[in-house]
Amino acid sequence: MRELIHRPRRLRRSAAMRRLVRETVVTKNDLLYPMFVTAERESREIPSMPGVYRYTVDALCREVEKIAKLGLPAIMLFGIPEEKDAVGSGGYAEDGIVPRAIRSLRKAIGDSILIVPDVCLCEYTAHGHCGIIEKGDVANDPTLELLARAAVCYAEAGADVIAPSDMMDGRVAAIRAALDTNGFTQTPILAYSAKYASGFYGPFREAADSAPQFGDRRTYQMDPPNRREALREIALDIEEGADMVMVKPGLAYLDILREARDNFDVPLAVYNVSGEYSMVKAAARNGWIEEARVVDEILTAFKRAGADIILTYHALDFARRHG
Ligand code: PBG
């Protein structure tokens, strides 16, 4: 038999050899951990997201101290207000749940970890949409002003990065202008640029009580079959001043992530969303998959596809496992 010249298996023979030629390694520095803070009296685990809680401000501070010690670089914050109304006032009130949490966190943890509030109205509106309603639809331009107010309010409280997730047209420009006018020229924007209208947000909406009470989000979030449109959304956000951009969800959109990486040079984030997390947890609880192994494989896929930053509810477990 003729000798084979190429034997790719030579480089797979031992753990050390595989480590030497490994192309992609996820570290805790790549992770942004999303957390929920609530105005209710007690912290509560979210039933569809085992291990994820809505924390009171005090409990959040204790938890984030631990997270900072583990060496995670950043948390994202979502707020659950006392009350919701038609215009989402709780999202941009000076004493709203998120600015209160940011101020307390700053006292508790200093600058050891970045605080990245999500900016959107859906957690604060009684109808559950990401903007204000006029004639039965989400009104784009009037919503921009409220989003900009929320961004300034969070920056004043001490936010390190502002992350708009609403998908209104022109919101990055509106937020950038408002931040600059108020003296926050150094506060970066992480834009949820290619955010699809996805079934994978189900558990999050339970977590934040933010399911739309009528209709759905298809008039503002992207249509899942569209690829070119994602590149256009990202290009627009960069033009408007986004410092970092995001593709969301992750697993069903790895092709979009790769294209975004190949077409743009700003830091690129991906959101490993609630439904993706819940599926892994549910299968693991049934003994159908090995959780740690599957999580590492998923996070590696995001990085291999081009993500610099991975938003994931698995961040804490990952940091514990990988030191
Ligand atoms: C708010 C927002 C959502 C998520 C992040 N920001 C929900 C939505 O758009 O319905 C989803 C996050 C997740 O599913 O983990 N607009």
Side-chain angles (χ1 to χ4, degrees), residues 74-224:
I75 59 158
M76 171 163 276
L77 265 192
F78 295 99
I80 297 127
E82 263 130 23
E83 277 173 28
K84 309 196 183 212
D85 63 21
V87 292
S89 315
Y92 40 89
E94 223 172 280
D95 62 346
I97 182 66
V98 165
R100 266 193 281 148
I102 297 173
R103 282 192 290 268
S104 300
L105 279 171
R106 273 287 162 246
K107 271 194 215 131
I109 56 155
D111 289 334
S112 57
I113 194 164
L114 298 172
I115 304 172
V116 186
D118 177 277
V119 168
C120 192
L121 296 187
C122 66
E123 297 115 82
Y124 306 96
T125 51
H127 47 71
H129 277 289
C130 301
I132 56 179
I133 304 294
E134 282 173 9
K135 298 188 195 112
D137 193 16
V138 174
N140 197 86
D141 298 13
T143 298
L144 297 182
E145 197 191 313
L146 304 182
L147 295 168
R149 267 168 73 179
V152 171
C153 167
Y154 301 167
E156 275 168 351
D160 294 292
V161 178
I162 296 296
S165 70
D166 52 283
M167 287 303 277
M168 296 303 116
D169 294 333
R171 93 275 208 212
V172 173
I175 289 173
R176 184 72 270 156
L179 288 173
D180 290 355
T181 315
N182 287 277
F184 298 104
T185 55
Q186 298 301 314
T187 305
I189 296 175
L190 163 59
Y192 288 66
S193 301
K195 176 171 175 178
Y196 288 89
S198 169
F200 286 97
Y201 308 148
F204 175 96
R205 292 184 187 168
E206 179 196 337
D209 287 331
S210 66
Q213 299 302 301
F214 66 90
D216 53 40
R217 302 212 202 290
R218 288 177 211 270
T219 68
Y220 42 106
Q221 298 181 349
M222 284 183 56
D223 198 23

Side-chain angles (χ1 to χ4, degrees), residues 240-280:
E240 289 179 30
D243 300 278
M244 302 177 271
V245 296
M246 191 195 300
V247 171
K248 176 184 173 190
L251 285 177
Y253 299 85
L254 289 174
D255 56 329
I256 307 296
L257 196 57
R258 167 49 55 194
E259 284 221 51
R261 169 73 307 146
D262 291 344
N263 282 277
F264 302 100
D265 55 9
V266 299
L268 176 62
V270 64
Y271 202 138
N272 178 209
V273 299
S274 57
E276 298 170 341
Y277 176 86
S278 299
M279 291 195 304
V280 168

Side-chain angles (χ1 to χ4, degrees), residues 266-313:
V266 299
L268 176 62
V270 64
Y271 202 138
N272 178 209
V273 299
S274 57
E276 298 170 341
Y277 176 86
S278 299
M279 291 195 304
V280 168
K281 285 288 181 183
R285 286 200 160 183
N286 277 297
W288 295 338
I289 57 169
E290 224 181 287
E291 179 173 336
R293 184 173 173 186
V294 165
V295 168
D296 287 0
E297 198 170 327
I298 288 173
L299 300 186
T300 303
F302 291 138
K303 192 156 178 187
R304 195 184 59 228
D308 301 300
I309 302 164
I310 304 168
L311 290 93
T312 181
Y313 304 100

